[in-house]
Amino acid sequence: MPTVQSSAAVHTTTVLDRTQLAPGIVVIGLHAPHLVGVTRPGHFVMVVPPAGERAAVALGVYEAEGERASFMLAVCGPRTRELADAAVGSQIDLFGPLGNGFDFSRRYANVAIVAGGVGIASLFLAAQALIASGTRVRLYYGARTQSLLADAQKFAQAGCTVHCATDDGSFGHRGFITDLFAQTDDVPELLLACGPSPMLRAVGKLAAQMKLPTQLSLEETFACGVGACWGCVVPIERGSKQAPRFPMLSTDGNRGDPVYARICKEGPVFWAHELRW
């Protein structure tokens, strides 16, 4: 996966807009021209709540165009509540972009995206980039209920064909989004996914059954965001290009033997077939 770790920097941004998409789901738009210039699909930033009294929180870059970047968050505690309440005109410090983005080093004619909840935020830049290159993109988007299908219309406006599922059947397919995707006869050349870990595990199993190349953007709570604390690890096959390269992690042994990769440093995007979780 490509990385722009060397482009990471502290960005002091100004809040341009605040939009509540659904109960507890907010998009914050920022004036961040330098961040926009170095962000690629799949990257994230560490966001410092405005008061500076709470630890930074990792959020995927949702939009990045012109001089405006944005992030989407679900309010689930005091840090995200403070960020969600940020007033237009206030300043927010970010550190990034961080992590490895999606790998589009080859061209694809047909790509499917599976998103769960606010995991959709890490996939919009990928959808835009693919559509701009002439790729046909389908979005499979799942949430608990219709009101939590945040910003699905943005993907449709960008050129995606959108399929939705809700746990309660209030909109689209009733049940899991992975079950809806499994019904397709139009098998893509590549699958991208981001969402809760149980959904990503299900996507990985489905991809293996379909022999479908798949890139997963893993969600995790990061303490540092730069790989220093080793608090966000996932087992990955030893022979992967994303396996950490340290003397104590010898490459001796079978390629399939797992080692631990840091989601914030070697990820958050991994090839599904290389994960051993």
Side-chain angles (χ1 to χ4, degrees):
M1 303 295 176
T3 181
V4 294
Q5 290 272 1
S6 60
S7 299
V10 175
H11 302 270
T12 298
T13 70
T14 303
V15 177
L16 296 175
D17 51 80
R18 177 188 180 280
T19 305
Q20 181 160 327
L21 299 177
I25 300 177
V26 177
V27 170
I28 303 293
L30 306 166
H31 182 252
H34 299 297
L35 178 65
V36 170
V38 292
T39 294
R40 298 295 177 267
H43 291 140
F44 71 93
V45 290
M46 297 298 291
V47 185
V48 181
E53 298 175 355
R54 296 186 172 93
V57 60
L59 295 169
V61 180
Y62 181 36
E63 301 162 289
E65 186 172 357
E67 297 188 346
R68 180 183 177 275
S70 73
F71 56 80
M72 181 189 297
L73 58 87
V75 178
C76 55
R79 290 186 300 172
T80 49
R81 177 76 272 166
E82 184 179 345
L83 287 169
D85 289 342
V88 172
S90 61
Q91 290 191 334
I92 295 179
D93 288 337
L94 315 174
F95 181 59
L98 296 165
N100 291 327
F102 292 101
D103 184 355
F104 299 146
S105 55
R106 58 158 290 191
R107 294 286 297 272
Y108 298 95
N110 180 4
V111 173
I113 294 174
V114 176
V118 293
I120 197 171
S122 295
L123 296 162
F124 182 64
L125 292 181
Q128 279 188 313
L130 289 165
I131 290 168
S133 70
T135 301
R136 180 166 63 92
V137 180
R138 286 167 289 148
L139 171 67
Y140 292 82
Y141 184 20
R144 293 195 307 275
T145 190
Q146 181 177 3
S147 65
L148 298 179
L149 290 169
D151 246 7
Q153 74 280 359
K154 180 181 286 293
F155 284 75
Q157 292 166 358
C160 294
T161 302
V162 179
H163 306 272
C164 294
T166 50
D167 294 354
D168 63 2
S170 55
F171 186 81
H173 172 80
R174 184 186 184 95
F176 295 144
I177 193 62
T178 47
D179 294 336
L180 178 60
F181 175 72
Q183 297 173 13
T184 184
D185 294 324
D186 185 6
V187 179
E189 297 173 19
L190 177 71
L191 178 62
L192 311 179
C194 185
S197 292
M199 187 205 84
L200 294 182
R201 290 172 186 264
V203 169
K205 290 180 180 178
L206 185 59
Q209 294 168 5
M210 299 173 70
K211 295 181 172 54
L212 176 58
T214 299
Q215 298 178 34
L216 304 179
S217 180
L218 305 190
E219 292 188 338
E220 185 55 87
T221 300
F222 299 145
C224 70
V226 295
C229 69
W230 287 82
C232 61
V233 296
V234 63
I236 188 171
E237 71 171 38
R238 186 178 299 267
S240 169
K241 292 181 179 179
Q242 291 179 258
R245 304 300 179 191
F246 294 105
M248 66 281 201
L249 295 178
S250 169
T251 55
D252 294 340
N254 296 324
R255 177 180 172 85
D257 290 344
V259 295
Y260 283 91
R262 297 158 293 184
I263 296 175
C264 70
K265 180 76 171 180
E266 284 78 41
V269 181
F270 295 93
W271 287 102
H273 69 276
E274 294 183 340
L275 293 173
R276 294 292 177 264
W277 50 341

